[in-house]
Amino acid sequence: MAKKRFMTLPRHILEGEKLHPEATGELSAILLQLSLAAKVISLEVNKAGLVDILGFTGESNKSGDEVKKLDIFAHETLLKAMDHGGHFCVMASEEDEDIIHLPPHQKIGKYVLLFDPLDGSSNIDANVSIGTIFSIYKRVTPGDGPGTLEDCLQPGYKQEVAGYILYGSSTVFVYTAGHGVYGFTLDPAFGEFLLSHDDIKIPKRGRIYSVNEGNYYSWPKGLKDYIKYLQANKFNGKPYQARYIGSMVADVHRTLLYGGIFMYPGDTRNEKGKLRLVYECNPMAFIVEAAGGRATDGKKRILEKVPESLHERIPIFIGSEEDVLLVEKFLADAEGH
Ligand code: P6P
């Protein structure tokens, strides 16, 4: 077993920057700021049960989900951490209906930050893993004034960096700049993220499928056929296993490490499914593809979809390449082509 190198997140980021002579160091600075925000949010998430921070605020976000105080805390922590330093021209968050401009006195930068501050928050009370998801683009609008909605609605293949922080039994920071996916686990003893998953590659095929089977009777026929096929047949002597946490960051993280497939399909009740394209599916697709996997809406690459609105939803089939290709075949066959 190769000896794990003692590599902190800051050192990994700076070494990565050296590999690109054209790098200005801005993305490094952004990632370091994001890791600081991650530590602050992790601290709050991990003591949520002890501090009266639970309970509903009575407000709801754009998607109509009840908003828990930790959601707002995470949202505000990310804004405070990222709204100075002059890196961004515009931001957008699941917790805010509209795009977010930088404070008036702040220098305007060339990057765009899109994030889901605390995905899976309905699980907080049950101490189930939850996560932050982020996505970074370069602006596409001319000039150096405030960014616009157009800067936030770029296809996912144009991402510069994507990542997530999973607040689980430990806090893990995973990111990619498109070449290699790296995971860092927070050592609370000295508050540093240490390299724990070096150059993650997702298995070409797994043996786990992950979907909310409570929606079975609303599914398209092809998906029903696919799930029955996984349950009825033997792969290396056993059928697939079902695993569903109900927290996208946790389900995708497990899929990235163990292989298999995570799905949030469209169905007869919600044609576009539930998960948001801009700040959930695009960053996760960018990460999984960088690890050698595949992510589609059942037909087309998620990363090629041009977003039409900030909070739009899209069906997602993401994970090991062979598993995603197989479900696409079942869906196509059932549609007769
Ligand atoms: P369902 C959490 O609320 C979330 O947005 C994702 O993290 C998760 O994958 C999905 O919804 C779970 O939705 O309908 O299965 O409860």
Side-chain angles (χ1 to χ4, degrees):
M1 163 77 91
K3 188 171 175 305
K4 274 202 194 319
R5 42 192 182 139
F6 181 85
M7 175 68 75
T8 63
L9 177 58
R11 189 173 145 203
H12 190 271
I13 291 169
L14 296 173
E15 288 194 0
E17 181 190 316
K18 284 186 201 134
L19 298 177
H20 301 281
E22 75 285 359
T24 61
E26 271 211 279
L27 284 176
S28 300
I30 290 169
L31 279 166
L32 291 174
Q33 274 303 89
L34 281 167
S35 70
L36 175 63
K39 292 178 196 175
V40 173
I41 295 167
S42 174
L43 201 58
E44 285 304 313
V45 166
N46 287 312
K47 70 182 181 186
L50 306 174
V51 176
D52 179 27
I53 197 166
L54 295 180
F56 288 89
T57 59
E59 297 156 36
S60 66
N61 62 16
K62 166 72 187 165
S63 313
D65 298 333
E66 279 288 350
V67 181
K68 284 187 173 294
K69 288 178 186 171
L70 267 180
D71 276 355
I72 294 173
F73 175 84
H75 171 74
E76 290 172 354
T77 300
L78 282 159
L79 290 184
K80 281 183 208 140
M82 307 312 292
D83 72 359
H84 53 284
H87 305 302
F88 299 107
C89 61
V90 67
M91 294 191 268
S93 164
E94 189 218 19
E95 294 301 333
D96 215 318
E97 191 156 351
D98 300 316
I99 61 174
I100 302 164
H101 287 297
L102 282 297
H105 55 284
Q106 284 300 337
K107 178 175 167 289
I108 301 282
K110 65 177 183 238
Y111 289 103
V112 178
L113 176 64
L114 311 170
F115 59 93
D116 183 353
L118 206 57
D119 177 73
S121 54
S122 55
N123 293 299
I124 294 173
D125 289 341
N127 203 21
V128 172
S129 300
I130 52 182
T132 298
I133 310 170
F134 61 87
S135 172
I136 299 167
Y137 293 81
K138 276 195 182 130
R139 73 179 301 164
V140 288
T141 51
D144 50 13
T148 69
L149 181 60
E150 184 187 351
D151 291 306
C152 300
L153 300 182
Q154 299 180 51
Y157 69 84
K158 296 182 75 176
Q159 290 174 90
E160 296 286 328
V161 174
Y164 58 80
I165 301 99
L166 178 60
Y167 311 104
S169 50
S170 58
T171 296
V172 180
F173 187 109
V174 174
Y175 85 95
T176 184
H179 312 286
V181 180
Y182 300 92
F184 300 79
T185 300
L186 183 63
D187 183 330
F190 57 103
E192 194 55 83
F193 280 106
L194 300 180
L195 182 65
S196 49
H197 301 78
D198 193 357
D199 195 14
I200 300 170
K201 293 294 178 210
I202 187 169
K204 279 297 166 204
R205 180 162 193 174
R207 282 204 30 249
I208 298 171
Y209 73 89
S210 182
V211 65
N212 182 343
E213 297 199 52
N215 299 323
Y216 178 85
Y217 286 96
S218 308
W219 287 350
K221 180 182 182 311
L223 182 55
K224 292 178 182 175
D225 295 345
Y226 171 66
I227 297 296
K228 291 302 165 212
Y229 171 79
L230 297 183
Q231 292 170 340
N233 287 276
K234 297 276 189 286
F235 307 90
N236 299 332
K238 285 189 269 185
Y240 271 49
Q241 296 173 305
R243 292 285 184 276
Y244 192 70
I245 302 168
S247 185
M248 184 191 197
V249 177
D251 279 316
V252 172
H253 186 65
R254 182 207 54 246
T255 304
L256 187 66
L257 298 186
Y258 293 176
I261 185 168
F262 169 75
M263 300 170 272
Y264 209 107
D267 61 28
T268 51
R269 291 176 302 168
N270 303 296
E271 189 194 348
K272 297 286 186 191
K274 176 180 182 181
L275 300 179
R276 277 54 65 100
L277 172 60
V278 168
Y279 41 75
E280 291 176 337
C281 297
N282 264 337
M284 288 308 198
F286 193 67
I287 293 164
V288 167
E289 284 201 5
R294 181 176 172 81
T296 70
D297 62 2
K299 292 192 179 99
K300 198 178 157 195
R301 270 179 85 209
I302 295 279
L303 295 182
E304 287 171 7
K305 174 83 170 56
V306 179
E308 289 157 22
S309 65
L310 207 46
H311 302 282
E312 76 174 81
R313 302 171 194 266
I314 190 170
I316 184 166
F317 300 81
I318 185 170
S320 296
E321 185 179 30
E322 290 178 21
D323 289 302
V324 177
L325 286 168
L326 184 59
V327 70
E328 287 171 14
K329 185 179 180 319
F330 272 87
L331 293 169
D333 290 352
E335 281 181 12
H337 53 71

